[in-house]
Every structure is written in structure tokens, then in C-alpha cells.
Amino acid sequence: PIVLPLPSPPPRLAPCLPPALPVSPSRPFAPTPTSHLTPHSPTMVLFILCVKAELEGVETLSLIKNTNLCFSVRNPLGDETREKVVFDPSETLQQDDGDREPPHHFAMKWEGSKKFSTLIVLDEEGSKSALKKLKKNKKGKKGGGGEADLPRDVTSDDSGDYVPVLAMECRGLEPYAYHCLGNEFRVVSEGGAVFEEDVDLSDGDWGDYDEENDAAVGVNEFESKIIAI
């Protein structure tokens, strides 16, 4: 019988792998940064609400600190906004045990964020401390040294000029618009009459009559702005 030889097995091919990259101690491996995927800023920023108006027969216009306030806020790291959020500056939110955030008056989470963004309304002492700290940090720096005034009442001498009335420390959010609800301001006339109900400046104008002193009182062309310090 004729015996045929068995065919030889095909040669084994080496796997097709990319060439190994050299490891350089001067350029160690670093993971792709993901901070842009987390819409939460760890930095606490000071914002000041300023208002201006033309005053008629008014000695002082003051912001009431124990009534609801309304702001629109936005994500400083994206395009998200939250319109007309309302909070009470005289009450802080209940926090879980172990929460490292300082007491705050408003908190929310942006989409995709694991951390809360917070807003704190500062009282007089808190405003002084925050502005003093900012002034100290800016001292000696190029372009720094700007000084912001403490929040106060608007007086007849301020008629038509912006005046700071509220300071807020915010982390992970920016208040960009203030909305009057209709009961946030207290007016004292030049004759001493006090108006603190129905002082509605949502339309920009308010007027009443001081009967005891037979004089008209008014707040006109009311405007507001929020500045970051």
C-alpha cells in the first residue's frame, strides 16, 4: 500500500498587538479628568444683592430679614438654571448627622451631582467677617483690594444709587436674579410713619399716604442687581 505523508499544521501567528508604549518617569500615567462631569463647585463665593430706587417722602427702605425671599439661580459649571426658588433667611434647613456643610438656608442638587449646592444668608456679623476675609485675601494682589460695603438700609441720600442690602455665601450655585414677592421691604417715611405691609415692589413702584404728617410717600423705579465679590 502507498502511505501518504500527513499535512503539516499551519504556522501559528503571533497575536496582533500594538507596540508597547515606553514608560517615562517624567510623564506618568494620569487618568482622564472628570471634574467637568460633576456640576458642583467646592468654592464658597460671596454674592451681594443691591437695590436702587427713587424715594419720595421716604427716610429709609429696608429689607425684612424674616420673610421669604425669591431668587433665580444657575449652575456655575453649566447651563442649568432653577427659576424663582423661595427660602426663608431666618430659618436654616435640617441637616443629617455628620453633614459637614455649615448651616444653610437653601440647598439643591444639580443633575448628575452627588453633592448639594448651598446658599447661606449672612447676618451682620457674618457679612463683616466675610468681607474682612475677602479684603485680607485681596490685599497686595494685582487687581485686588476692591472693597464692598456692608449691607444696610437704603436712605433718602441714596435715592437713585445702588445700595447693598443682603449678603449670601454660595457653594455650587450662583443667584443671578432677585424677584420681589410683595412683602420683603419696610418703609419709614420722613415723618416717621412705618409701612411694612403690602409694600409691593414687584412692578417697580409703590405709593401710600402718611396721614399723620399729611404727606405722600413713594418708592419708584425700583431695580436690583446681584454682584459677586
Side-chain angles (χ1 to χ4, degrees):
I2 300 173
V3 178
L4 297 177
L6 296 175
S8 301
R12 300 182 64 183
L13 301 178
C16 184
L17 297 175
L21 297 177
V23 178
S24 171
S26 61
R27 298 182 64 182
F29 170 77
T32 302
T34 58
S35 58
H36 66 287
L37 301 178
T38 304
H40 179 81
S41 171
T43 305
M44 190 74 81
V45 181
L46 182 65
F47 292 89
I48 306 292
L49 170 64
C50 303
V51 303
K52 72 173 182 177
E54 297 292 337
L55 304 182
E56 177 188 357
V58 173
E59 182 64 29
T60 61
L61 171 70
S62 56
L63 183 67
I64 300 174
K65 302 301 193 301
N66 59 350
T67 189
N68 286 343
L69 299 177
C70 181
F71 288 86
S72 291
V73 299
R74 63 189 169 206
N75 184 348
L77 302 179
D79 298 326
E80 276 187 282
T81 61
R82 190 72 62 88
E83 301 294 327
K84 296 184 177 180
V85 300
V86 178
F87 55 88
D88 186 345
S90 65
E91 296 183 3
T92 56
L93 301 181
Q94 184 176 356
Q95 296 176 250
D96 296 331
D97 295 337
D99 192 341
R100 296 182 179 181
E101 292 286 349
H104 44 267
H105 301 94
F106 173 74
M108 59 162 291
K109 284 184 179 180
W110 297 111
E111 184 177 356
S113 177
K114 296 181 179 180
K115 296 183 179 180
F116 279 101
S117 298
T118 60
L119 181 151
I120 304 171
V121 176
L122 301 179
D123 58 15
E124 184 176 356
E125 289 302 317
S127 299
K128 286 181 180 179
S129 177
L131 288 170
K132 184 178 179 180
K133 183 185 299 183
L134 282 174
K135 183 179 179 181
K136 182 179 179 180
N137 291 340
K138 289 182 178 182
K139 189 176 181 180
K141 292 184 180 180
K142 186 176 181 180
E147 184 175 357
D149 293 331
L150 282 171
R152 60 179 178 83
D153 295 343
V154 183
T155 71
S156 55
D157 294 334
D158 300 312
S159 190
D161 295 327
Y162 275 108
V163 174
V165 295
L166 186 73
M168 300 168 284
E169 280 190 333
C170 302
R171 187 192 302 275
L173 62 83
E174 294 179 353
Y176 68 89
Y178 168 70
H179 309 280
C180 286
L181 296 176
N183 57 351
E184 308 96 320
F185 287 92
R186 179 175 183 264
V187 171
V188 178
S189 73
E190 292 178 341
V194 178
F195 302 86
E196 54 185 1
E197 293 182 3
D198 301 324
V199 180
D200 188 353
L201 294 171
S202 56
D203 293 328
D205 301 292
W206 169 87
D208 209 317
Y209 190 73
D210 181 358
E211 296 181 357
E212 185 174 346
N213 296 284
D214 192 23
V217 293
V219 179
N220 303 302
E221 300 179 29
F222 176 87
E223 295 180 31
S224 64
K225 69 176 181 180
I226 301 170
I227 58 175
I229 304 299

